[in-house]
Amino acid sequence: MRWPRTALPLLALDLALGLLAWWGAFWLRFNLDIPDDFELLAWQASPWCVLGLAAGLVVMRVDRQVWTFIGLSELRQLGSGVVLGAVLTAVAVLMLRIPNFPRSVLLLQPLLALVLLGAARAAWRTLAERRLHGLGAEPVVIVGSLQDAAGALRALKGSQKWRPVGIVSPLAQERGRSLQDVRVLGTIAQLQDVCAAAGVHTALLASAPGASERREALLVAADARITLLTLPRPDQWLQAESSGPRKIELEDLLGRAPVALDVAGLAELFSGQVVVVTGAGGSIGSELCRQVARFGVGRLVCVDVSEYNIYQLEQELRRAHPQMQAAYYTANVREPERLRAILQRHQPAVVFHAAAYKHVPLMEQHNEIEALRTNVLGTLNAARAAAACGVRRFVMISTDKAVNPTNVMGASKRLAELLVQAVALREPRTQFVSVRFGNVLGSSGSVVPLFSAQIARGGPVTVTHPDIVRYFMTIPEAAQLVLQAGLMGRSGQIFVLDMGEPVKIVELARMLIRLSGKTEQEVPIAFSGLRPGEKLYEELLADDETTEPTPHAKLRIAKTSGPLPDVEEVVRWIDDAGAQPGAEALRAWLRQHVPEYQSQVAP
């Protein structure tokens, strides 16, 4: 067994300190004056002390410790090594039957050795940290409570770039307290004054559980021109290029907790299996492909109508998973024969149906029939093809806009849910599940890319109404919950995701402006009025009266009732509708099949 280069010198230092503790124990035993005959005993037995301590430290692998990063676990390991060494030394002394040997020395020596060896390590780490946090380290203020700041301080230990000089806490009662020699200097509202007094231009946002403190810190930091950083969550470390501080992003301000997945169940569902994703080039579809690829899928079949989107996805997945079997198709879900041919060729176990038109204003005027053909017939085609090919699970991606819809897009998705339930009754071999959720940050056509582009042009940022609110989650979170729902769902169920608290769109715009380093004076916000089919708020049916709980905290099952539509009649009407049926006739037909649909007069 080969020792590290520094192990022998550090072990020699430990043994020298252990020998010093041996003489210190004799010195204390005889009140600071060792008689000559007992001094001879100490010399005679000292080799056994050194050998016993060496054996104890080596057996407990103390000799392999890195002193620069010593912590509580290493000190516990050191204590075990010293105790084992003391036991071995005592056994040797007692077996040799050394006459008149003072047995109290055998108790005093390990205590003194533990103090000396621990102090040496503490001094080493202190000097190393001072050397690392030298003149080149940039001072930084930690933003968060003492509990949250503890994790950030641990992450910065040994950093040559950052030197924590203070903490600002959302809890006023923590002011004046200290953690690892770093004092709480004020509250978040006092961040500007604290940074000015300390000569600091950077603040590090600790992992606070609530989003309100994050947003407050962002506003204060932006006004003071202080750079605000954060640390990636532990579940993001494998995806992040670095686990060090990074610039804060919009999703950090939402305070979304990481999703707890049934990893074993998902691995069993996907490992070695064939999985098909329709709409694979879209925001949710592509993330579903990334997540499924993590679980060792046997073959991933990606289907999308956009040639460019499917090409981009192919290039990304080939780089990230070069060993994965995959097939990429440019196909339209409105063509049932093409879909069935793809599924018959690959015989998938699971199908995720994410292909849809989702842009409310576009589908509300001039394109109503296209929403029905893609969202309704496309879903029905995919569900029927899955049943015909013996697919075990079919998961449809729905939307919160299907709840009490006021627009054609939402009504088309609600009708698609009903058709999936109707197919589920006819095809018991396949488990058909629908999953509803709200807006996802950064998805194509969402407000975040729009606002970012407007900010880059210098504004104005256009918000439709000062009171409009939406639910938001990140794309990876939404995809992970879709996977979890697909695993646990029973046929015909509609799952609702926990979207957290709704966010005012105007507040979202303000946060994006601040994140860009601008102010509202530099990039103004303009209100443009509600667009056709747009509601002030979205509904998720996420309360106890309209949903049932599941074993997963972020998933609930929607309680829905009412008759299911006649599948053949729906297909016949849409097929016979022509290129552009009358808008009012189309809406009237939708109201017959989706009773909760109430079309909204364009503002």
Side-chain angles (χ1 to χ4, degrees), residues 402-448:
V403 182
N404 300 326
T406 61
N407 49 67
V408 170
M409 195 284 284
S412 70
K413 295 295 282 185
R414 174 60 183 145
L415 182 54
E417 291 178 353
L418 294 171
L419 290 176
V420 168
Q421 289 180 316
V423 175
L425 290 177
R426 297 183 182 183
E427 304 288 348
R429 291 188 308 163
T430 301
Q431 300 286 309
F432 290 91
V433 175
S434 299
V435 184
R436 289 176 184 165
F437 54 86
N439 301 276
V440 288
L441 290 175
S443 64
S444 58
S446 70
V447 296
V448 173

Side-chain angles (χ1 to χ4, degrees), residues 275-289 292 300-306 310 313 327 329-335 338-340 342-343 348 350-356 374-375 378-383 385-386 394-397 413 482:
V275 176
V276 170
V277 180
T278 70
S283 303
I284 294 298
S286 60
E287 184 61 31
L288 283 171
C289 292
V292 169
L300 180 61
V301 180
C302 306
V303 180
D304 198 279
V305 71
S306 168
I310 207 73
L313 180 65
Y329 289 90
T330 54
N332 196 326
V333 294
R334 286 154 62 159
E335 301 172 357
R338 172 71 164 155
L339 271 183
R340 184 169 297 193
I342 293 172
L343 268 60
V350 183
V351 171
F352 290 100
H353 178 61
T374 295
N375 294 356
T379 298
L380 181 61
N381 292 338
F394 178 92
V395 183
M396 171 205 167
I397 310 301
K413 295 295 282 185
V482 168

Side-chain angles (χ1 to χ4, degrees), residues 500-514:
E501 295 298 321
V503 178
K504 273 194 170 186
I505 299 298
V506 67
E507 290 299 321
L508 192 73
R510 289 181 180 132
M511 286 189 286
L512 280 170
I513 292 171
R514 300 303 179 94

Side-chain angles (χ1 to χ4, degrees), residues 11-54:
L11 178 61
L13 177 58
D14 281 340
L15 296 180
L17 293 173
L19 188 59
L20 179 61
W22 176 260
W23 284 98
F26 271 91
W27 191 52
L28 290 175
R29 166 63 180 82
F30 292 103
N31 297 322
L32 314 184
D33 185 15
I34 306 174
D36 293 340
D37 52 345
F38 282 100
E39 184 175 346
L40 181 61
L41 286 179
W43 280 113
Q44 290 175 347
S46 60
W48 299 108
C49 169
V50 173
L51 290 174
L53 181 59

Side-chain angles (χ1 to χ4, degrees), residues 52-273:
L53 181 59
L57 296 181
V58 171
V59 168
M60 300 308 298
R61 301 179 68 85
V62 176
D63 56 308
R64 297 177 178 272
Q65 290 180 348
V66 180
W67 288 20
T68 303
F69 305 106
I70 203 79
L72 286 177
S73 60
E74 286 79 12
L75 289 178
R76 285 193 292 267
Q77 186 183 22
L78 173 65
S80 300
V82 170
V83 169
L84 178 58
V87 170
L88 294 175
T89 301
V91 169
V93 169
L94 294 176
M95 288 182 64
L96 290 173
R97 299 182 182 277
I98 299 176
N100 300 322
F101 190 88
R103 297 188 178 183
S104 57
V105 169
L106 300 176
L107 296 176
L108 289 172
Q109 190 272 340
L111 295 177
L112 293 176
L114 188 58
V115 171
L116 291 175
L117 271 63
R121 284 159 170 76
W124 186 295
R125 174 168 174 169
T126 301
L127 291 173
E129 287 179 355
R130 287 183 179 177
R131 185 174 66 253
L132 290 173
H133 294 313
L135 296 176
E138 183 177 344
V140 64
V141 168
I142 308 296
V143 180
S145 65
L146 286 173
Q147 181 177 356
D148 298 318
L153 290 173
R154 282 195 300 270
L156 294 180
K157 282 294 184 184
S159 171
Q160 300 184 45
K161 187 174 182 181
W162 305 105
R163 175 170 53 88
V165 296
I167 301 170
V168 293
S169 170
L171 307 176
Q173 63 269 27
E174 290 186 347
R175 181 170 183 175
R177 299 179 65 184
S178 65
L179 181 68
Q180 299 180 28
D181 293 330
V182 182
R183 290 185 61 232
V184 178
L185 302 176
T187 62
I188 294 178
Q190 298 169 311
L191 176 63
Q192 181 175 0
D193 296 335
V194 168
C195 288
V200 174
H201 305 287
T202 306
L204 177 64
L205 188 61
S207 178
S212 58
E213 292 87 358
R214 294 168 176 261
R215 296 172 191 166
E216 181 186 3
L218 172 66
L219 296 176
V220 174
D223 289 339
R225 303 291 182 178
I226 297 168
T227 302
L228 191 61
L229 305 177
T230 190
L231 289 166
R233 297 193 311 257
D235 64 306
Q236 298 173 329
W237 287 349
L238 291 179
Q239 288 77 36
E241 293 181 1
S242 171
S243 59
R246 58 166 172 80
K247 284 190 175 182
I248 195 166
E249 298 172 357
L250 186 59
E251 50 262 38
D252 298 313
L253 302 175
L254 296 181
R256 304 288 298 181
V259 176
L261 291 176
D262 179 4
V263 175
L266 290 171
E268 183 179 352
L269 179 64
F270 297 128
S271 180
Q273 302 294 328

Side-chain angles (χ1 to χ4, degrees), residues 293-573:
R294 293 171 48 208
F295 290 99
V297 62
R299 185 184 307 123
L300 180 61
V301 180
C302 306
V303 180
D304 198 279
V305 71
S306 168
E307 178 191 29
Y308 179 71
N309 286 352
I310 207 73
Y311 165 74
Q312 289 286 87
L313 180 65
E314 178 195 24
Q315 295 299 304
E316 177 187 342
L317 293 181
R318 284 189 188 278
R319 288 192 302 269
H321 304 278
Q323 304 302 320
M324 182 182 70
Q325 293 187 38
Y328 303 89
Y329 289 90
T330 54
N332 196 326
V333 294
R334 286 154 62 159
E335 301 172 357
E337 296 82 5
R338 172 71 164 155
L339 271 183
R340 184 169 297 193
I342 293 172
L343 268 60
Q344 283 178 341
R345 177 175 182 179
H346 294 283
Q347 293 296 307
V350 183
V351 171
F352 290 100
H353 178 61
Y357 283 142
K358 64 178 184 178
H359 199 276
V360 170
L362 279 179
M363 296 300 107
E364 196 66 18
Q365 294 179 316
H366 314 307
N367 300 298
E368 299 95 329
I369 190 62
E370 300 303 313
L372 295 188
R373 286 179 175 144
T374 295
N375 294 356
V376 178
L377 286 190
T379 298
L380 181 61
N381 292 338
R384 282 175 158 177
C389 297
V391 172
R392 293 210 314 258
R393 288 186 176 271
F394 178 92
V395 183
M396 171 205 167
I397 310 301
S398 189
T399 172
D400 59 352
K401 295 172 180 62
V403 182
N404 300 326
T406 61
N407 49 67
V408 170
M409 195 284 284
S412 70
K413 295 295 282 185
R414 174 60 183 145
L415 182 54
E417 291 178 353
L418 294 171
L419 290 176
V420 168
Q421 289 180 316
V423 175
L425 290 177
R426 297 183 182 183
E427 304 288 348
R429 291 188 308 163
T430 301
Q431 300 286 309
F432 290 91
V433 175
S434 299
V435 184
R436 289 176 184 165
F437 54 86
N439 301 276
V440 288
L441 290 175
S443 64
S444 58
S446 70
V447 296
V448 173
L450 173 64
F451 287 171
S452 298
Q454 291 175 334
I455 293 169
R457 292 194 299 266
V461 175
T462 55
V463 178
T464 56
H465 193 282
D467 295 324
I468 192 168
V469 296
R470 290 291 183 267
Y471 295 91
F472 285 98
M473 63 170 36
T474 65
I475 293 176
E477 181 185 7
Q480 289 167 3
L481 288 173
V482 168
L483 297 185
Q484 188 67 50
L487 170 67
M488 64 192 300
R490 296 195 304 272
S491 198
Q493 289 181 330
I494 299 175
F495 281 83
V496 180
L497 306 191
D498 173 19
M499 297 295 296
E501 295 298 321
V503 178
K504 273 194 170 186
I505 299 298
V506 67
E507 290 299 321
L508 192 73
R510 289 181 180 132
M511 286 189 286
L512 280 170
I513 292 171
R514 300 303 179 94
L515 283 173
S516 70
K518 306 289 186 180
T519 65
E520 288 174 56
Q521 287 70 38
E522 297 169 302
V523 181
I525 295 175
F527 296 102
S528 58
L530 289 175
R531 298 172 298 176
E534 195 170 43
K535 294 195 290 187
L536 279 178
Y537 60 93
E538 302 291 2
E539 302 168 87
L540 287 172
L541 294 181
D543 55 66
D544 293 335
E545 295 181 358
T546 53
T547 62
E548 298 174 352
T550 72
H552 197 286
K554 290 193 173 186
L555 291 170
R556 298 182 71 86
I557 301 170
K559 298 178 186 176
T560 58
S561 59
L564 297 178
D566 183 317
V567 175
E568 300 307 326
E569 193 276 329
V570 169
V571 173
R572 189 166 48 251
W573 192 91

